[in-house]
Amino acid sequence: MANQTNGHLGVTEPISLSGPTETDVMRTQELETFLADAGLYPSHDDAVSREEVLGRLDQVVKSWIRRVSRSKGYNEQFVQEANAKIFTFGSYRLGVHGPGADIDTLCVGPRHATREEDFFGVLHSMLAEMPEVAELHPVPDAHVPVMKFKFMGVSIDLLYAKLALLVVPEDLDITQNSILENVDEQTARSLNGCRVTDLILRLVPNIQNFRTTLRCMRYWAKRRCVYSNVSGFLGGINWALLVARICQLYPNALPSTLVSRFFKVFAHWRWPNPVMLCQIEDIPSLGHTVWDPRRYYRDRFQHMPIITPAYPAMNSSFNVSTSTLRVMTEEFQRGDEVCKAMEENKADWKTLFEQYPFFESYKHYLQIDIMAENEDDFRQWHGWIESRLRILTLKIEKYTYNMLQVHPFPGDFCDKAKPHSCSFFMGLQKKQGSQPNEGENHFDMRGTVEEFKQLVHMYTTWKPGMEIHITHVKRKDIPRFVFPGGVRPQRPARPVRPSRSKLSDAATAMVGNVASASANGSSEKKQIQPPDLHLNANGDGLRVSEPDVGSSGIKDTAEDIAIKKLTGGSLPEVEVSDELDELHYLESLGSVKAPETTATTSAVAAPSDGNGEEAGEVQNQIFSKSSPLKRKASELEAVELVPTFYGANPSASENTQRKTLKLKLTTVTKATTQST
């Protein structure tokens, strides 16, 4: 829970308490108009329809719990008193949902109503018999078990929490920590969504400003292709936590200022320093694990920790990888540049929300095609593949030693000519700024792709017809069905480069000017005094008495210095005592069981000899157990382990006979971004 004894929300003091100016008011009005014109606000009829759906769903679960209680032999008086309750969370509870968005819901039931038999059994059967319900799809094996369906045309995600209560009261407060007593991990995870959502609304100084800013940032993230938790970017709850933190740091600012400061703060944030809305609370008596990289090895591999405020504290952005963090950081920096240009009246909101040109940003892509025999099989196969694509990103990063960067597109594309199929895409580029050695422009991903295909074909409910194909395509060969209307956009003409002689003259003049400035300025170097910085009594607040001079020679304001202090905190020292890395852990989940082994085979290819043949053998890496190392979290590296796969279905062996994938990058350009 938030500590407000110092008169502020959050773990640190606010950066600025300044109120809005006339310009801020004007720009906020322009922003709200822009969001309304973009169709981000639901209509009155839509709001009424959703309220009706939730009321009807609440009646269904109350009828369900009475049926379950009666079947378990309870007397009629108890049956009539039995109760189950529906809670909402996510974008709907936060008040930032748009037209057609789904509703995240939680069903809370008593201890005698089980998840497997009663929720996914009895309730599923009741819903299947209702004419108002369509596209019913239970996912009992998910990390957070969920039932997905459409109720009267509205998409519903329904979770279940079994409390240690004989009767669920109608006025139940799920934000109390005592509700977690004697519950299983699945119930704790299911409750976490509602508890986090309610606490976020309590931890922001102005709910209306928070909602407008969050609606803006969600739309921006979707336009810039960085909105998708399953793809390794950030989902709705992640963006809500980041925006809430900015609201705490600027409690009196309007949405236009909050958006600008969002980019300013997170463009310079030193990950993996965590973002937290309140202090992490540990309650040993309840026995739930809280996020702590000093104690838990798994928490040390997380690249972008965004910690939930409710007990037990968790990292909500566990899916972020090295590549997706790079993409988001670049987008934060671009947003910061655009906002600075807006302050100088050189850009507008339209510039900030420009669509990211994904299929113009890279020269090389991976195309992942999936298909199934019918609609039901395709829906299940699609969900499984989409949840595993992050492992493919991690494998590519790992086997190329992060020399090949991956940008997964957060979504899929369907070819209308091919029913029950879709395609995912990943942009590929060589790491920028690296000095290539001989042969390093050649990346052989055949082993990586085959391992991934074997992994996904171990789907426990695999059926004949469920297939996956992975191919390398160049930008000019991207299929037309990914473009709006099936029309490939025209690429802009390349700018004319100045001649070599003009470049040489300019370089000579520049060198001369720099040398002259160095000679004249050597005797006039000024001694820069450090600013008067000091922490408050609790050690968590920063006060600045005067501005400092930054590396650019321009004086930093007190706000700039406070941001630098906030985003550059120290990292705790941790002990490395386990050899399982994040990728190995992920692959061991579900139906894949990785054996205990120290001998592994790397899938990083040998250099090419120019004829397309490999000039060297695939390297074998053997790792032995070593004593714990004591290093800072920023220096931790995952120990390389590659699992061996056992037990594939018939399709997996057939896939190995298909054409292998070999990728050669020669002149890969950096991803283009629109900036002012």
Side-chain angles (χ1 to χ4, degrees):
M1 198 65 65
N3 181 7
Q4 301 189 54
T5 56
N6 293 327
H8 63 82
L9 295 168
V11 295
T12 65
E13 291 183 351
I15 291 177
S16 173
L17 296 174
S18 300
T21 64
E22 293 183 3
T23 302
D24 296 334
V25 174
M26 179 187 66
R27 286 179 177 161
T28 297
Q29 292 174 348
E30 294 173 352
L31 175 60
E32 291 174 343
T33 301
F34 183 91
L35 298 178
D37 293 342
L40 300 184
Y41 293 92
S43 64
H44 175 72
D45 292 340
D46 183 73
V48 172
S49 174
R50 290 170 183 272
E51 290 293 334
E52 182 180 353
V53 166
L54 290 174
R56 183 78 177 90
L57 183 60
D58 190 65
Q59 294 175 0
V60 170
V61 299
K62 284 175 167 45
S63 175
W64 161 73
I65 197 60
R66 286 193 291 269
R67 178 184 296 187
V68 169
S69 300
R70 186 176 290 111
S71 67
K72 293 184 182 294
Y74 290 97
N75 60 48
E76 193 60 27
Q77 180 181 355
F78 181 87
V79 168
Q80 295 303 318
E81 294 176 352
N83 189 35
K85 187 172 173 59
I86 290 291
F87 292 88
T88 61
F89 61 101
S91 62
Y92 184 82
R93 176 70 181 92
L94 290 173
V96 295
H97 64 285
D102 60 357
I103 304 179
D104 296 313
T105 57
L106 170 70
C107 173
V108 175
R111 63 192 183 194
H112 60 273
T114 65
R115 179 179 293 102
E116 293 78 10
E117 179 182 351
D118 298 322
F119 181 75
F120 284 108
V122 179
L123 181 58
H124 177 271
S125 300
M126 291 177 60
L127 292 172
E129 296 172 355
M130 298 178 62
E132 306 99 315
V133 176
E135 300 180 16
L136 181 60
H137 178 50
V139 191
D141 298 328
H143 186 63
V144 181
V146 60
M147 197 136 53
K148 298 173 177 284
F149 55 93
K150 284 190 175 181
F151 197 107
M152 299 170 59
V154 177
S155 296
I156 300 290
D157 286 355
L158 181 62
L159 312 182
Y160 180 66
K162 184 184 73 169
L163 303 184
L165 300 175
L166 191 59
V167 177
V168 176
E170 192 65 25
D171 59 349
L172 178 68
D173 182 5
I174 60 174
T175 62
Q176 298 297 319
N177 292 332
S178 58
I179 202 173
L180 297 173
E181 292 180 355
N182 302 317
V183 301
D184 56 33
E185 286 298 324
Q186 290 177 320
T187 291
R189 288 193 291 265
S190 299
L191 286 167
N192 194 55
C194 290
R195 288 165 54 81
V196 168
T197 302
D198 287 351
L199 274 181
I200 288 175
L201 295 175
R202 297 183 186 184
L203 289 169
V204 294
N206 187 303
I207 292 179
Q208 186 57 46
N209 289 342
F210 163 76
R211 285 174 170 165
T212 301
T213 306
L214 178 55
R215 194 182 294 273
C216 169
M217 293 310 306
R218 286 164 56 94
Y219 181 59
W220 172 86
K222 293 175 182 178
R223 296 284 292 175
R224 302 304 298 177
C225 298
V226 290
Y227 187 99
S228 174
N229 185 280
V230 71
S231 298
F233 295 105
L234 302 182
I237 190 62
N238 311 126
W239 293 108
L241 291 169
L242 293 183
V243 170
R245 185 68 183 118
I246 298 301
C247 291
Q248 290 180 341
L249 296 173
Y250 298 88
N252 299 322
L254 291 181
S256 62
T257 302
L258 293 172
V259 170
S260 173
R261 297 307 184 264
F262 180 97
F263 293 116
K264 188 172 186 178
V265 169
F266 291 116
H268 300 91
W269 195 270
R270 276 192 61 217
W271 306 104
N273 283 316
V275 173
M276 301 186 299
L277 299 186
C278 58
Q279 296 294 345
I280 294 178
E281 188 177 14
D282 193 3
I283 308 175
S285 60
L286 294 179
H288 295 283
T289 302
V290 299
W291 183 84
D292 189 349
R294 297 166 300 182
R295 296 169 57 189
Y296 304 112
Y297 178 77
R298 175 183 165 191
D299 294 342
R300 302 168 196 169
F301 294 105
Q302 297 163 5
H303 303 284
M304 194 180 186
I306 303 173
I307 310 305
T308 57
Y311 174 85
M314 307 175 187
N315 177 21
S316 64
S317 53
F318 176 80
N319 284 349
V320 174
S321 68
T322 302
S323 290
T324 53
L325 176 58
R326 171 191 62 83
V327 173
M328 287 187 286
T329 300
E330 290 178 355
E331 286 302 318
F332 291 156
Q333 293 169 351
R334 173 195 176 271
D336 187 32
E337 294 174 1
V338 173
C339 288
K340 289 178 181 177
M342 290 176 62
E343 294 175 358
E344 300 174 358
N345 295 321
K346 296 180 180 179
D348 55 15
W349 291 114
K350 184 179 179 181
T351 306
L352 181 66
F353 293 99
E354 285 180 351
Q355 180 69 48
Y356 180 77
F358 181 79
F359 291 106
E360 296 295 323
S361 299
Y362 301 93
K363 285 189 174 181
H364 299 269
Y365 296 84
L366 280 186
Q367 179 176 340
I368 301 98
D369 301 315
I370 66 170
M371 57 213 70
E373 289 289 341
N374 54 63
E375 188 63 30
D376 290 337
D377 289 353
F378 175 72
R379 188 183 302 113
Q380 296 180 29
W381 186 234
H382 178 278
W384 169 252
I385 296 295
E386 187 178 35
S387 68
R388 302 289 96 181
L389 284 178
R390 174 173 167 263
I391 295 181
L392 179 59
T393 300
L394 294 174
K395 282 181 174 290
I396 295 173
E397 292 175 348
K398 172 182 176 180
Y399 292 152
T400 62
Y401 300 97
N402 287 321
M403 292 299 295
L404 188 61
Q405 297 175 333
V406 186
H407 183 175
F409 184 86
D412 57 34
F413 298 89
C414 296
D415 186 353
K416 296 181 179 179
K418 299 178 180 179
H420 316 313
S421 67
C422 71
S423 300
F424 299 93
F425 290 87
M426 294 182 176
L428 303 172
Q429 73 172 7
K430 192 171 179 294
K431 184 178 180 180
Q432 301 299 311
S434 60
Q435 297 297 326
N437 298 323
E438 184 179 357
E440 282 193 358
N441 284 327
H442 179 200
F443 297 92
D444 187 348
M445 295 191 297
R446 291 176 296 182
T448 304
V449 167
E450 290 305 322
E451 278 191 8
F452 177 74
K453 288 162 68 175
Q454 290 183 43
L455 170 67
V456 298
H457 274 107
M458 291 176 188
Y459 184 36
T460 54
T461 58
W462 180 89
K463 298 178 182 178
M466 293 181 175
E467 298 183 12
I468 177 171
H469 303 282
I470 304 177
T471 54
H472 162 231
V473 294
K474 294 185 178 180
R475 179 167 54 201
K476 61 184 180 64
D477 299 323
I478 294 293
R480 294 182 180 274
F481 64 80
V482 307
F483 301 107
V487 179
R488 187 185 303 274
Q490 294 291 332
R491 295 193 64 199
R494 293 183 179 181
V496 179
R497 295 183 178 182
S499 63
R500 181 179 295 273
S501 60
K502 291 182 179 180
L503 282 173
S504 301
D505 295 341
T508 302
M510 184 178 297
V511 171
N513 292 337
V514 171
S516 175
S518 299
N520 296 334
S522 59
S523 60
E524 299 179 2
K525 185 179 295 185
K526 294 183 179 180
Q527 183 69 27
I528 300 177
Q529 298 294 334
D532 183 12
L533 303 177
H534 61 274
L535 298 176
N536 64 13
N538 295 328
D540 60 356
L542 175 69
R543 299 182 182 276
V544 185
S545 62
E546 61 182 0
D548 193 9
V549 178
S551 59
S552 62
I554 302 175
K555 286 189 174 182
D556 289 337
T557 63
E559 179 186 358
D560 294 329
I561 298 173
I563 291 176
K564 289 180 181 179
K565 181 69 175 180
L566 177 72
T567 60
S570 59
L571 296 173
E573 300 227 345
V574 294
E575 294 284 343
V576 183
S577 58
D578 197 339
E579 288 188 340
L580 288 178
D581 65 3
E582 176 192 8
L583 180 57
H584 188 68
Y585 170 79
L586 286 174
E587 290 169 336
S588 66
L589 293 177
S591 60
V592 180
K593 181 178 177 62
E596 296 179 358
T597 178
T598 56
T600 61
T601 301
S602 171
V604 180
S608 172
D609 61 2
N611 298 320
E613 299 294 328
E614 295 172 354
E617 296 292 329
V618 176
Q619 302 175 8
N620 288 329
Q621 298 178 327
I622 300 180
F623 298 90
S624 61
K625 295 183 179 180
S626 58
S627 58
L629 306 176
K630 190 171 185 180
R631 293 179 290 175
K632 286 191 175 181
S634 60
E635 301 170 352
L636 290 177
E637 296 177 357
V639 179
E640 301 288 341
L641 287 178
V642 183
T644 303
F645 295 94
Y646 292 100
N649 58 57
S651 179
S653 60
E654 295 174 2
N655 287 340
T656 60
Q657 304 300 321
R658 298 194 184 100
K659 185 177 179 181
T660 56
L661 181 147
K662 184 180 291 186
L663 172 64
K664 186 174 183 179
L665 302 183
T666 53
T667 56
V668 180
T669 58
K670 186 178 181 180
T672 58
T673 54
Q674 301 293 330
S675 60
T676 58

